Short mmCIF file of all heavy atoms in Angstrom, two decimals:
data_model
loop_
_atom_site.label_atom_id
_atom_site.label_comp_id
_atom_site.label_asym_id
_atom_site.label_seq_id
_atom_site.Cartn_x
_atom_site.Cartn_y
_atom_site.Cartn_z
N MET A 24 89.96 91.97 95.41
CA MET A 24 90.53 93.30 95.45
C MET A 24 90.27 93.97 96.79
O MET A 24 91.13 94.60 97.33
CB MET A 24 89.95 94.13 94.30
CG MET A 24 90.59 95.48 94.15
SD MET A 24 92.28 95.27 93.60
CE MET A 24 92.72 96.93 93.32
N ALA A 25 89.08 93.79 97.33
CA ALA A 25 88.76 94.39 98.62
C ALA A 25 89.66 93.83 99.72
O ALA A 25 90.11 94.57 100.58
CB ALA A 25 87.30 94.17 98.96
N LEU A 26 89.93 92.55 99.67
CA LEU A 26 90.80 91.93 100.66
C LEU A 26 92.19 92.53 100.60
O LEU A 26 92.80 92.82 101.62
CB LEU A 26 90.86 90.42 100.44
CG LEU A 26 91.75 89.64 101.40
CD1 LEU A 26 91.24 89.82 102.83
CD2 LEU A 26 91.74 88.18 101.04
N ARG A 27 92.70 92.75 99.41
CA ARG A 27 94.03 93.32 99.26
C ARG A 27 94.09 94.71 99.88
O ARG A 27 95.05 95.06 100.55
CB ARG A 27 94.41 93.39 97.78
CG ARG A 27 95.84 93.88 97.58
CD ARG A 27 96.24 93.92 96.14
NE ARG A 27 96.19 92.58 95.58
CZ ARG A 27 96.40 92.32 94.32
NH1 ARG A 27 96.65 93.28 93.48
NH2 ARG A 27 96.33 91.09 93.89
N LYS A 28 93.05 95.53 99.69
CA LYS A 28 93.03 96.87 100.27
C LYS A 28 93.02 96.80 101.79
O LYS A 28 93.72 97.54 102.44
CB LYS A 28 91.81 97.65 99.78
CG LYS A 28 91.93 98.10 98.36
CD LYS A 28 90.72 98.92 97.96
CE LYS A 28 90.82 99.34 96.51
NZ LYS A 28 89.65 100.11 96.09
N LYS A 29 92.25 95.87 102.35
CA LYS A 29 92.21 95.74 103.80
C LYS A 29 93.57 95.31 104.33
O LYS A 29 94.05 95.82 105.32
CB LYS A 29 91.15 94.73 104.22
CG LYS A 29 89.75 95.25 104.08
CD LYS A 29 88.75 94.22 104.53
CE LYS A 29 87.34 94.72 104.31
NZ LYS A 29 86.35 93.71 104.69
N LEU A 30 94.21 94.36 103.67
CA LEU A 30 95.51 93.88 104.10
C LEU A 30 96.53 95.01 104.04
O LEU A 30 97.30 95.20 104.97
CB LEU A 30 95.98 92.71 103.24
CG LEU A 30 97.36 92.15 103.57
CD1 LEU A 30 97.40 91.65 105.01
CD2 LEU A 30 97.70 91.03 102.64
N ALA A 31 96.52 95.78 102.99
CA ALA A 31 97.47 96.88 102.85
C ALA A 31 97.27 97.91 103.96
O ALA A 31 98.23 98.42 104.51
CB ALA A 31 97.32 97.54 101.47
N CYS A 32 96.04 98.20 104.31
CA CYS A 32 95.76 99.14 105.39
C CYS A 32 96.26 98.60 106.72
O CYS A 32 96.82 99.34 107.51
CB CYS A 32 94.28 99.46 105.47
SG CYS A 32 93.69 100.45 104.11
N LEU A 33 96.09 97.32 106.94
CA LEU A 33 96.58 96.73 108.17
C LEU A 33 98.09 96.80 108.26
O LEU A 33 98.64 97.04 109.32
CB LEU A 33 96.13 95.27 108.26
CG LEU A 33 94.65 95.04 108.52
CD1 LEU A 33 94.33 93.55 108.44
CD2 LEU A 33 94.25 95.58 109.88
N ILE A 34 98.75 96.65 107.16
CA ILE A 34 100.20 96.73 107.15
C ILE A 34 100.65 98.13 107.50
O ILE A 34 101.57 98.32 108.28
CB ILE A 34 100.77 96.30 105.78
CG1 ILE A 34 100.56 94.79 105.60
CG2 ILE A 34 102.24 96.63 105.67
CD1 ILE A 34 100.88 94.27 104.24
N VAL A 35 100.01 99.13 106.94
CA VAL A 35 100.39 100.51 107.24
C VAL A 35 100.15 100.82 108.70
O VAL A 35 101.01 101.38 109.37
CB VAL A 35 99.61 101.51 106.35
CG1 VAL A 35 99.82 102.92 106.83
CG2 VAL A 35 100.06 101.38 104.92
N LEU A 36 98.99 100.45 109.22
CA LEU A 36 98.70 100.76 110.61
C LEU A 36 99.58 99.96 111.56
O LEU A 36 100.04 100.46 112.56
CB LEU A 36 97.23 100.48 110.90
CG LEU A 36 96.25 101.40 110.18
CD1 LEU A 36 94.82 100.95 110.45
CD2 LEU A 36 96.44 102.84 110.61
N GLY A 37 99.85 98.71 111.24
CA GLY A 37 100.65 97.87 112.11
C GLY A 37 102.13 98.03 111.90
O GLY A 37 102.92 97.79 112.79
N GLY A 38 102.53 98.49 110.74
CA GLY A 38 103.94 98.57 110.42
C GLY A 38 104.61 99.86 110.81
O GLY A 38 105.81 99.97 110.76
N ASP A 39 103.85 100.84 111.21
CA ASP A 39 104.43 102.12 111.57
C ASP A 39 105.18 101.98 112.88
O ASP A 39 104.66 101.47 113.86
CB ASP A 39 103.32 103.17 111.69
CG ASP A 39 103.86 104.58 111.72
OD1 ASP A 39 105.04 104.78 111.43
OD2 ASP A 39 103.07 105.48 112.04
N LYS A 40 106.42 102.44 112.92
CA LYS A 40 107.25 102.28 114.12
C LYS A 40 106.84 103.25 115.23
O LYS A 40 107.14 103.03 116.36
CB LYS A 40 108.73 102.49 113.76
CG LYS A 40 109.25 101.45 112.79
CD LYS A 40 109.11 100.06 113.34
CE LYS A 40 109.63 99.04 112.35
NZ LYS A 40 109.23 97.71 112.64
N GLU A 41 106.19 104.36 114.90
CA GLU A 41 105.70 105.29 115.91
C GLU A 41 104.22 105.00 116.13
O GLU A 41 103.42 105.14 115.22
CB GLU A 41 105.88 106.73 115.44
CG GLU A 41 107.33 107.11 115.23
CD GLU A 41 107.46 108.54 114.74
OE1 GLU A 41 106.64 109.38 115.13
OE2 GLU A 41 108.36 108.78 113.95
N PRO A 42 103.83 104.60 117.35
CA PRO A 42 102.43 104.26 117.58
C PRO A 42 101.49 105.42 117.30
O PRO A 42 101.79 106.57 117.61
CB PRO A 42 102.39 103.89 119.06
CG PRO A 42 103.80 103.71 119.47
CD PRO A 42 104.65 104.45 118.51
N TYR A 43 100.36 105.11 116.71
CA TYR A 43 99.26 106.04 116.46
C TYR A 43 99.61 107.17 115.49
O TYR A 43 98.95 108.18 115.46
CB TYR A 43 98.75 106.64 117.78
CG TYR A 43 98.46 105.59 118.81
CD1 TYR A 43 99.24 105.49 119.94
CD2 TYR A 43 97.42 104.68 118.61
CE1 TYR A 43 98.98 104.52 120.89
CE2 TYR A 43 97.16 103.70 119.57
CZ TYR A 43 97.93 103.62 120.69
OH TYR A 43 97.69 102.66 121.62
N LYS A 44 100.66 107.04 114.71
CA LYS A 44 101.01 108.07 113.74
C LYS A 44 100.94 107.49 112.34
O LYS A 44 101.65 106.55 112.02
CB LYS A 44 102.43 108.60 114.00
CG LYS A 44 102.82 109.74 113.08
CD LYS A 44 104.17 110.30 113.46
CE LYS A 44 104.51 111.48 112.62
NZ LYS A 44 105.14 111.15 111.36
N LEU A 45 100.06 108.04 111.52
CA LEU A 45 99.94 107.59 110.14
C LEU A 45 100.96 108.29 109.26
O LEU A 45 101.33 109.43 109.53
CB LEU A 45 98.54 107.88 109.60
CG LEU A 45 97.41 107.02 110.15
CD1 LEU A 45 96.07 107.53 109.64
CD2 LEU A 45 97.60 105.58 109.76
N PRO A 46 101.41 107.64 108.20
CA PRO A 46 102.31 108.30 107.27
C PRO A 46 101.61 109.44 106.55
O PRO A 46 100.37 109.51 106.52
CB PRO A 46 102.70 107.20 106.29
CG PRO A 46 101.85 106.04 106.58
CD PRO A 46 101.13 106.27 107.85
N ASP A 47 102.38 110.35 105.96
CA ASP A 47 101.81 111.49 105.24
C ASP A 47 100.91 111.03 104.10
O ASP A 47 99.87 111.62 103.85
CB ASP A 47 102.91 112.40 104.69
CG ASP A 47 103.67 113.09 105.82
OD1 ASP A 47 103.08 113.30 106.90
OD2 ASP A 47 104.85 113.42 105.60
N LYS A 48 101.31 110.01 103.38
CA LYS A 48 100.53 109.47 102.26
C LYS A 48 100.25 108.00 102.54
O LYS A 48 100.97 107.12 102.08
CB LYS A 48 101.30 109.64 100.95
CG LYS A 48 101.55 111.09 100.59
CD LYS A 48 102.27 111.20 99.28
CE LYS A 48 102.46 112.66 98.90
NZ LYS A 48 103.11 112.78 97.61
N PRO A 49 99.20 107.71 103.31
CA PRO A 49 98.96 106.32 103.74
C PRO A 49 98.73 105.34 102.60
O PRO A 49 99.18 104.20 102.67
CB PRO A 49 97.74 106.41 104.64
CG PRO A 49 97.20 107.77 104.51
CD PRO A 49 98.23 108.63 103.86
N LYS A 50 98.06 105.76 101.54
CA LYS A 50 97.79 104.82 100.44
C LYS A 50 99.10 104.41 99.76
O LYS A 50 99.33 103.23 99.52
CB LYS A 50 96.84 105.46 99.41
CG LYS A 50 96.50 104.53 98.28
CD LYS A 50 95.52 105.15 97.32
CE LYS A 50 95.21 104.19 96.18
NZ LYS A 50 94.27 104.76 95.22
N GLU A 51 99.96 105.38 99.48
CA GLU A 51 101.24 105.07 98.84
C GLU A 51 102.11 104.21 99.76
O GLU A 51 102.79 103.29 99.31
CB GLU A 51 101.98 106.35 98.44
CG GLU A 51 101.34 107.09 97.28
CD GLU A 51 100.16 107.98 97.68
OE1 GLU A 51 99.80 108.03 98.88
OE2 GLU A 51 99.58 108.60 96.78
N ALA A 52 102.08 104.52 101.05
CA ALA A 52 102.87 103.74 102.02
C ALA A 52 102.36 102.30 102.08
O ALA A 52 103.15 101.36 102.16
CB ALA A 52 102.80 104.39 103.40
N ALA A 53 101.03 102.13 102.04
CA ALA A 53 100.45 100.79 102.08
C ALA A 53 100.86 99.98 100.85
O ALA A 53 101.27 98.83 100.96
CB ALA A 53 98.93 100.88 102.16
N VAL A 54 100.76 100.59 99.68
CA VAL A 54 101.12 99.90 98.44
C VAL A 54 102.60 99.54 98.44
O VAL A 54 102.99 98.42 98.10
CB VAL A 54 100.75 100.77 97.21
CG1 VAL A 54 101.33 100.18 95.94
CG2 VAL A 54 99.24 100.91 97.10
N SER A 55 103.43 100.47 98.87
CA SER A 55 104.87 100.24 98.91
C SER A 55 105.23 99.11 99.89
O SER A 55 105.99 98.20 99.55
CB SER A 55 105.59 101.52 99.31
OG SER A 55 106.96 101.29 99.48
N THR A 56 104.67 99.17 101.09
CA THR A 56 104.96 98.15 102.09
C THR A 56 104.47 96.78 101.64
O THR A 56 105.17 95.77 101.79
CB THR A 56 104.32 98.52 103.44
OG1 THR A 56 104.82 99.79 103.85
CG2 THR A 56 104.64 97.50 104.51
N PHE A 57 103.27 96.75 101.09
CA PHE A 57 102.71 95.49 100.61
C PHE A 57 103.59 94.91 99.50
O PHE A 57 103.90 93.71 99.50
CB PHE A 57 101.28 95.71 100.11
CG PHE A 57 100.61 94.45 99.66
CD1 PHE A 57 100.12 93.56 100.60
CD2 PHE A 57 100.45 94.16 98.32
CE1 PHE A 57 99.50 92.38 100.20
CE2 PHE A 57 99.83 92.99 97.91
CZ PHE A 57 99.35 92.11 98.85
N SER A 58 104.02 95.75 98.56
CA SER A 58 104.88 95.28 97.46
C SER A 58 106.21 94.76 97.98
O SER A 58 106.68 93.70 97.56
CB SER A 58 105.13 96.42 96.47
OG SER A 58 103.93 96.78 95.84
N GLU A 59 106.81 95.50 98.92
CA GLU A 59 108.09 95.06 99.50
C GLU A 59 107.93 93.71 100.20
O GLU A 59 108.77 92.83 100.08
CB GLU A 59 108.60 96.09 100.51
CG GLU A 59 109.21 97.32 99.91
CD GLU A 59 109.76 98.22 101.00
OE1 GLU A 59 110.69 97.80 101.71
OE2 GLU A 59 109.22 99.33 101.14
N TYR A 60 106.84 93.58 100.96
CA TYR A 60 106.60 92.34 101.70
C TYR A 60 106.41 91.16 100.74
O TYR A 60 106.98 90.09 100.93
CB TYR A 60 105.39 92.49 102.61
CG TYR A 60 105.22 91.32 103.56
CD1 TYR A 60 105.84 91.33 104.80
CD2 TYR A 60 104.45 90.22 103.21
CE1 TYR A 60 105.69 90.26 105.67
CE2 TYR A 60 104.31 89.15 104.07
CZ TYR A 60 104.92 89.17 105.29
OH TYR A 60 104.79 88.12 106.15
N MET A 61 105.62 91.36 99.70
CA MET A 61 105.37 90.28 98.75
C MET A 61 106.63 89.92 97.97
O MET A 61 106.89 88.75 97.72
CB MET A 61 104.23 90.66 97.80
CG MET A 61 102.88 90.80 98.49
SD MET A 61 102.44 89.43 99.58
CE MET A 61 102.21 88.12 98.39
N ASN A 62 107.43 90.91 97.60
CA ASN A 62 108.70 90.63 96.92
C ASN A 62 109.62 89.83 97.83
O ASN A 62 110.28 88.88 97.39
CB ASN A 62 109.36 91.92 96.46
CG ASN A 62 108.67 92.54 95.28
OD1 ASN A 62 107.97 91.88 94.53
ND2 ASN A 62 108.82 93.84 95.13
N ALA A 63 109.69 90.22 99.09
CA ALA A 63 110.52 89.49 100.05
C ALA A 63 110.00 88.07 100.23
O ALA A 63 110.78 87.12 100.34
CB ALA A 63 110.56 90.23 101.38
N SER A 64 108.69 87.91 100.24
CA SER A 64 108.09 86.59 100.39
C SER A 64 108.44 85.69 99.21
O SER A 64 108.81 84.53 99.39
CB SER A 64 106.57 86.73 100.50
OG SER A 64 105.95 85.48 100.52
N MET A 65 108.34 86.23 98.00
CA MET A 65 108.65 85.44 96.81
C MET A 65 110.13 85.05 96.74
O MET A 65 110.47 83.98 96.25
CB MET A 65 108.23 86.19 95.55
CG MET A 65 106.72 86.23 95.38
SD MET A 65 106.20 86.92 93.81
CE MET A 65 106.36 88.65 94.13
N SER A 66 110.99 85.93 97.27
CA SER A 66 112.42 85.61 97.24
C SER A 66 112.88 84.93 98.53
O SER A 66 114.06 84.69 98.73
CB SER A 66 113.25 86.87 96.99
OG SER A 66 113.08 87.78 98.06
N ARG A 67 111.91 84.63 99.39
CA ARG A 67 112.18 83.96 100.68
C ARG A 67 113.18 84.71 101.54
O ARG A 67 114.03 84.13 102.21
CB ARG A 67 112.63 82.52 100.46
CG ARG A 67 111.55 81.70 99.79
CD ARG A 67 112.02 80.30 99.52
NE ARG A 67 111.02 79.63 98.69
CZ ARG A 67 110.60 78.42 98.91
NH1 ARG A 67 111.10 77.71 99.88
NH2 ARG A 67 109.70 77.88 98.11
N ASP A 68 113.08 86.03 101.51
CA ASP A 68 113.91 86.89 102.35
C ASP A 68 113.18 87.12 103.67
O ASP A 68 112.50 88.11 103.87
CB ASP A 68 114.18 88.22 101.62
CG ASP A 68 115.14 89.12 102.36
OD1 ASP A 68 115.48 88.81 103.53
OD2 ASP A 68 115.54 90.14 101.78
N TYR A 69 113.33 86.17 104.58
CA TYR A 69 112.57 86.18 105.82
C TYR A 69 112.97 87.35 106.73
O TYR A 69 112.14 87.88 107.46
CB TYR A 69 112.71 84.85 106.54
CG TYR A 69 112.23 83.70 105.68
CD1 TYR A 69 113.09 82.70 105.25
CD2 TYR A 69 110.90 83.65 105.26
CE1 TYR A 69 112.65 81.67 104.45
CE2 TYR A 69 110.44 82.61 104.45
CZ TYR A 69 111.33 81.63 104.05
OH TYR A 69 110.88 80.62 103.25
N ASP A 70 114.23 87.75 106.69
CA ASP A 70 114.65 88.89 107.50
C ASP A 70 113.93 90.17 107.05
O ASP A 70 113.51 90.97 107.87
CB ASP A 70 116.17 89.10 107.42
CG ASP A 70 116.93 88.01 108.15
OD1 ASP A 70 116.39 87.47 109.14
OD2 ASP A 70 118.06 87.70 107.73
N LYS A 71 113.80 90.35 105.74
CA LYS A 71 113.09 91.51 105.22
C LYS A 71 111.61 91.45 105.60
O LYS A 71 111.03 92.45 106.01
CB LYS A 71 113.25 91.59 103.69
CG LYS A 71 112.55 92.74 103.05
CD LYS A 71 113.20 94.05 103.40
CE LYS A 71 112.59 95.17 102.59
NZ LYS A 71 113.19 96.45 102.91
N MET A 72 111.02 90.27 105.48
CA MET A 72 109.61 90.12 105.85
C MET A 72 109.41 90.47 107.33
O MET A 72 108.47 91.17 107.68
CB MET A 72 109.14 88.70 105.58
CG MET A 72 109.05 88.35 104.11
SD MET A 72 108.77 86.58 103.82
CE MET A 72 107.16 86.36 104.53
N LEU A 73 110.31 90.01 108.17
CA LEU A 73 110.22 90.29 109.59
C LEU A 73 110.39 91.78 109.87
O LEU A 73 109.70 92.35 110.71
CB LEU A 73 111.26 89.47 110.35
CG LEU A 73 111.20 89.52 111.87
CD1 LEU A 73 109.85 89.01 112.36
CD2 LEU A 73 112.32 88.69 112.46
N SER A 74 111.29 92.43 109.14
CA SER A 74 111.51 93.86 109.36
C SER A 74 110.30 94.69 108.96
O SER A 74 110.11 95.80 109.46
CB SER A 74 112.74 94.34 108.59
OG SER A 74 112.47 94.47 107.21
N LEU A 75 109.47 94.17 108.07
CA LEU A 75 108.27 94.89 107.63
C LEU A 75 107.05 94.55 108.49
O LEU A 75 105.97 95.09 108.29
CB LEU A 75 107.96 94.56 106.17
CG LEU A 75 108.99 95.08 105.16
CD1 LEU A 75 108.73 94.46 103.80
CD2 LEU A 75 108.96 96.58 105.10
N SER A 76 107.23 93.65 109.45
CA SER A 76 106.12 93.19 110.29
C SER A 76 106.28 93.70 111.71
O SER A 76 107.38 93.89 112.19
CB SER A 76 106.08 91.66 110.33
OG SER A 76 106.00 91.15 109.04
N ASP A 77 105.16 93.92 112.36
CA ASP A 77 105.16 94.30 113.76
C ASP A 77 104.36 93.27 114.54
O ASP A 77 103.39 92.72 114.03
CB ASP A 77 104.50 95.66 113.97
CG ASP A 77 105.46 96.81 113.78
OD1 ASP A 77 106.67 96.60 113.75
OD2 ASP A 77 104.96 97.94 113.69
N ASP A 78 104.75 93.05 115.75
CA ASP A 78 104.00 92.18 116.64
C ASP A 78 103.09 93.07 117.47
O ASP A 78 103.57 93.85 118.30
CB ASP A 78 104.95 91.37 117.52
CG ASP A 78 104.25 90.27 118.26
OD1 ASP A 78 103.03 90.39 118.51
OD2 ASP A 78 104.92 89.28 118.61
N TYR A 79 101.80 92.99 117.23
CA TYR A 79 100.83 93.88 117.86
C TYR A 79 100.78 93.73 119.38
O TYR A 79 100.24 94.58 120.07
CB TYR A 79 99.43 93.65 117.28
CG TYR A 79 98.88 92.29 117.60
CD1 TYR A 79 98.14 92.08 118.75
CD2 TYR A 79 99.12 91.21 116.76
CE1 TYR A 79 97.65 90.83 119.06
CE2 TYR A 79 98.63 89.96 117.06
CZ TYR A 79 97.90 89.78 118.20
OH TYR A 79 97.42 88.54 118.50
N ARG A 80 101.37 92.67 119.92
CA ARG A 80 101.32 92.47 121.37
C ARG A 80 102.20 93.44 122.13
O ARG A 80 102.01 93.65 123.32
CB ARG A 80 101.75 91.04 121.71
CG ARG A 80 100.85 89.97 121.13
CD ARG A 80 101.39 88.60 121.41
NE ARG A 80 102.67 88.44 120.73
CZ ARG A 80 103.49 87.41 120.90
NH1 ARG A 80 103.17 86.46 121.74
NH2 ARG A 80 104.62 87.34 120.24
N PHE A 81 103.19 94.03 121.46
CA PHE A 81 104.16 94.88 122.14
C PHE A 81 104.08 96.31 121.62
O PHE A 81 104.06 96.54 120.42
CB PHE A 81 105.57 94.33 121.93
CG PHE A 81 105.68 92.88 122.33
CD1 PHE A 81 105.77 91.90 121.36
CD2 PHE A 81 105.65 92.50 123.65
CE1 PHE A 81 105.86 90.55 121.70
CE2 PHE A 81 105.73 91.16 124.01
CZ PHE A 81 105.84 90.18 123.03
N LYS A 82 104.06 97.27 122.54
CA LYS A 82 103.93 98.67 122.13
C LYS A 82 105.25 99.24 121.62
O LYS A 82 105.25 100.15 120.81
CB LYS A 82 103.43 99.52 123.30
CG LYS A 82 101.99 99.21 123.65
CD LYS A 82 101.47 100.14 124.70
CE LYS A 82 100.01 99.82 124.98
NZ LYS A 82 99.43 100.74 125.95
N THR A 83 106.37 98.73 122.10
CA THR A 83 107.67 99.23 121.65
C THR A 83 108.58 98.06 121.27
O THR A 83 108.37 96.92 121.70
CB THR A 83 108.37 100.05 122.75
OG1 THR A 83 108.68 99.19 123.85
CG2 THR A 83 107.51 101.21 123.22
N GLU A 84 109.58 98.37 120.51
CA GLU A 84 110.57 97.37 120.12
C GLU A 84 111.33 96.87 121.35
O GLU A 84 111.66 95.69 121.46
CB GLU A 84 111.53 97.97 119.09
CG GLU A 84 112.55 97.01 118.54
CD GLU A 84 111.96 95.93 117.64
OE1 GLU A 84 110.77 96.02 117.27
OE2 GLU A 84 112.69 94.99 117.31
N ARG A 85 111.61 97.76 122.29
CA ARG A 85 112.33 97.38 123.51
C ARG A 85 111.53 96.33 124.30
O ARG A 85 112.09 95.35 124.79
CB ARG A 85 112.58 98.64 124.37
CG ARG A 85 113.17 98.38 125.74
CD ARG A 85 114.54 97.76 125.76
NE ARG A 85 115.48 98.51 124.96
CZ ARG A 85 116.59 97.97 124.42
NH1 ARG A 85 116.88 96.71 124.62
NH2 ARG A 85 117.39 98.69 123.69
N THR A 86 110.23 96.52 124.43
CA THR A 86 109.38 95.56 125.13
C THR A 86 109.43 94.21 124.45
O THR A 86 109.52 93.17 125.12
CB THR A 86 107.92 96.06 125.19
OG1 THR A 86 107.90 97.38 125.72
CG2 THR A 86 107.06 95.16 126.03
N ARG A 87 109.39 94.20 123.12
CA ARG A 87 109.45 92.95 122.37
C ARG A 87 110.78 92.25 122.60
O ARG A 87 110.84 91.05 122.83
CB ARG A 87 109.23 93.20 120.88
CG ARG A 87 109.16 91.92 120.06
CD ARG A 87 109.02 92.21 118.58
NE ARG A 87 110.25 92.68 117.99
CZ ARG A 87 111.28 91.89 117.63
NH1 ARG A 87 111.22 90.61 117.81
NH2 ARG A 87 112.36 92.41 117.10
N LEU A 88 111.86 93.00 122.54
CA LEU A 88 113.19 92.42 122.74
C LEU A 88 113.36 91.88 124.16
O LEU A 88 113.95 90.80 124.32
CB LEU A 88 114.27 93.46 122.43
CG LEU A 88 114.40 93.84 120.96
CD1 LEU A 88 115.40 94.99 120.81
CD2 LEU A 88 114.80 92.67 120.10
N ASN A 89 112.84 92.57 125.14
CA ASN A 89 112.90 92.08 126.52
C ASN A 89 112.12 90.79 126.66
O ASN A 89 112.56 89.86 127.35
CB ASN A 89 112.37 93.14 127.49
CG ASN A 89 113.33 94.29 127.66
OD1 ASN A 89 114.52 94.18 127.37
ND2 ASN A 89 112.81 95.41 128.13
N PHE A 90 110.98 90.69 126.00
CA PHE A 90 110.18 89.46 126.04
C PHE A 90 110.95 88.31 125.39
O PHE A 90 111.01 87.21 125.94
CB PHE A 90 108.85 89.69 125.31
CG PHE A 90 108.05 88.44 125.16
CD1 PHE A 90 107.27 87.96 126.21
CD2 PHE A 90 108.05 87.73 123.97
CE1 PHE A 90 106.51 86.80 126.06
CE2 PHE A 90 107.29 86.57 123.81
CZ PHE A 90 106.54 86.10 124.88
N LEU A 91 111.54 88.57 124.23
CA LEU A 91 112.29 87.52 123.54
C LEU A 91 113.51 87.08 124.33
O LEU A 91 113.87 85.91 124.33
CB LEU A 91 112.68 87.99 122.13
CG LEU A 91 111.52 88.21 121.16
CD1 LEU A 91 112.04 88.80 119.87
CD2 LEU A 91 110.77 86.92 120.90
N LYS A 92 114.15 88.04 124.99
CA LYS A 92 115.33 87.72 125.79
C LYS A 92 114.96 86.81 126.97
O LYS A 92 115.70 85.89 127.29
CB LYS A 92 115.96 89.00 126.30
CG LYS A 92 117.25 88.81 127.03
CD LYS A 92 117.84 90.15 127.45
CE LYS A 92 119.13 89.95 128.20
NZ LYS A 92 119.69 91.24 128.64
N ALA A 93 113.81 87.09 127.59
CA ALA A 93 113.36 86.28 128.74
C ALA A 93 112.99 84.90 128.24
O ALA A 93 113.22 83.90 128.80
CB ALA A 93 112.17 86.93 129.41
#
């Protein structure tokens, strides 16, 4: 159970599209994101899983896209 809570927190912190801004209700956002991710995983919806994930190496989506393009 403790591992699940840590994972959910990581998803909320890493999944937020605006850096350093937490959602209004972080616990609910964590549970929702985790549930969406697991549902997508079970149905093998890789596009959905990717949309719920962030690559911590890049601060913005534009930087990530420029890296992938290169």
Side-chain angles (χ1 to χ4, degrees):
M24 186 68 173
L26 179 61
R27 184 179 298 175
K28 286 183 182 179
K29 286 181 184 178
L30 178 60
C32 289
L33 289 174
I34 291 171
V35 170
L36 293 175
D39 194 12
K40 297 301 179 195
E41 297 178 34
Y43 310 111
K44 183 175 184 274
L45 288 174
D47 293 333
K48 297 181 178 183
K50 182 177 180 181
E51 289 82 359
V54 170
S55 174
T56 302
F57 183 76
S58 295
E59 284 183 64
Y60 189 89
M61 294 311 292
N62 287 337
S64 175
M65 287 188 280
S66 64
R67 297 177 189 225
D68 185 350
Y69 302 116
D70 289 330
K71 179 69 172 179
M72 291 170 65
L73 187 60
S74 75
L75 293 169
S76 304
D77 274 347
D78 191 334
Y79 66 89
R80 297 175 296 171
F81 307 106
K82 291 186 178 183
T83 65
E84 184 69 10
R85 173 63 53 204
T86 307
R87 185 183 74 79
L88 291 174
N89 287 340
F90 173 81
L91 293 174
K92 185 177 179 181

